[in-house]
């Protein structure tokens, strides 16, 4: 049985040292500027195949070993696909929100998880807040979805959800809705006319 090896002929291209035009390695004169191209002045620009690149058909075909893997239809640096990591919120350490009225603790809400909705219970609108202040807010100054308390990266943040009567920290300025504010252990949080206190530990 006879074996035939497929060979690829290629032409070496050089650049004219005077004008930079592309020339064949066999040219003696530059077709652009007319200067004689000396062999000592020739600089190799690139090696380009004279014919179209042939796909790799045989693993043992030595004539294709010079080709880059991308030309042979093989990825040069294949990367194994990686599955996205699931981002799970970290549960907060033991903490609670306590309701203060006239300087006395009247109720407390243990905080479990990493996100808590503060508001008033409304089954018709399917609003079931984690911190339900319906019984502590007889004047209904707390909105149904008043504020959101979150735990992230070891810190607590409060965000007003566009409430009617606003949210305040330590009796400061009214919080801008949609912006998170840092709250720490012992801080006073006012929602409507209800006074809360964050207690960590």
């Amino acid at each position: 049985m006879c074996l035939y090896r497929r060979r690829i002929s290629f032409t070496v291209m050089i650049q004219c040292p005077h004008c930079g035009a592309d020339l064949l390695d066999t040219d003696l004169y530059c077709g652009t500027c007319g200067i004689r191209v000396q062999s000592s002045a020739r600089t190799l620009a690139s090696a380009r195949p004279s014919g179209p690149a042939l796909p790799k058909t045989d693993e043992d075909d030595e004539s294709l070993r010079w080709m880059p893997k991308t030309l042979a239809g093989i990825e040069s640096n294949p990367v194994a696909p990686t599955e996205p990591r699931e981002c799970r919120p970290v549960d907060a350490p033991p903490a609670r929100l306590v309701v203060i009225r006239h300087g006395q603790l009247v109720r407390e809400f243990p905080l479990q998880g990493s996100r808590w909705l503060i508001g008033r219970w409304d089954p018709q609108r399917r609003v079931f807040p984690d911190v339900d202040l319906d019984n502590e807010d007889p004047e209904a100054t707390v909105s149904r979805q008043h504020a959101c308390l979150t735990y992230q990266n070891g810190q607590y943040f409060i965000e007003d959800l566009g409430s009617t009567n606003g949210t305040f920290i330590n009796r400061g300025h009214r919080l801008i809705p949609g912006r998170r504010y840092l709250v720490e252990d012992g801080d006073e949080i006012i929602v409507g006319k209800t006074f809360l206190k964050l207690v960590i530990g």
Side-chain angles (χ1 to χ4, degrees):
M1 182 177 63
C2 297
L3 296 178
Y4 295 93
R5 294 187 179 275
R6 186 179 300 170
R7 299 185 180 277
I8 297 177
S9 60
F10 60 91
T11 302
V12 177
M13 300 295 295
I14 63 173
Q15 288 184 339
C16 174
H18 183 262
C19 67
D22 290 336
L23 305 174
L24 296 177
D25 185 43
T26 56
D27 290 342
L28 298 179
Y29 296 92
C30 176
T32 302
C33 64
I35 192 174
R36 179 179 177 84
V37 182
Q38 301 295 331
S39 58
S40 59
R42 294 178 183 177
T43 57
L44 181 64
S46 62
R48 303 174 184 174
S50 58
L54 299 176
K56 189 172 182 179
T57 56
D58 189 355
E59 294 294 335
D60 297 328
D61 193 347
E62 296 180 357
S63 63
L64 295 179
R65 290 186 180 179
W66 69 273
M67 297 175 62
K69 292 184 179 181
T70 53
L71 294 180
I74 303 176
E75 294 185 7
S76 57
N77 293 313
V79 179
T82 57
E83 297 182 358
R85 297 181 179 179
E86 184 179 359
C87 297
R88 296 182 178 180
V90 179
D91 291 346
R96 62 190 187 276
L97 272 179
V98 298
V99 180
I100 305 295
R101 185 179 301 146
H102 304 297
Q104 300 294 325
L105 188 154
V106 296
R107 188 176 179 183
E108 64 178 34
F109 296 90
L111 302 178
Q112 297 179 350
S114 60
R115 185 181 186 275
W116 308 273
L117 176 64
I118 302 172
R120 288 189 297 112
W121 184 72
D122 187 352
Q124 294 182 352
R125 299 186 181 182
R126 297 184 179 181
V127 178
F128 305 99
D130 304 286
V131 180
D132 180 16
L133 300 176
D134 194 32
N135 295 330
E136 281 67 43
D137 182 38
E139 299 180 21
T141 60
V142 176
S143 300
R144 292 175 176 84
Q145 299 184 62
H146 195 105
C148 180
L149 181 68
T150 56
Y151 176 80
Q152 184 178 7
N153 298 329
Q155 294 178 315
Y156 290 86
F157 300 90
I158 188 75
E159 176 186 347
D160 185 90
L161 300 178
S163 63
T164 301
N165 296 300
T167 305
F168 305 83
I169 300 176
N170 297 326
R171 309 192 185 191
H173 295 288
R174 181 171 178 167
L175 304 187
I176 299 175
R179 181 179 298 180
R180 298 196 312 166
Y181 294 82
L182 177 68
V183 287
E184 298 177 332
D185 183 28
D187 281 350
E188 181 186 63
I189 303 172
I190 305 175
V191 290
K193 292 184 179 181
T194 303
F195 291 75
L196 305 173
K197 184 177 182 180
L198 177 63
V199 179
I200 303 175

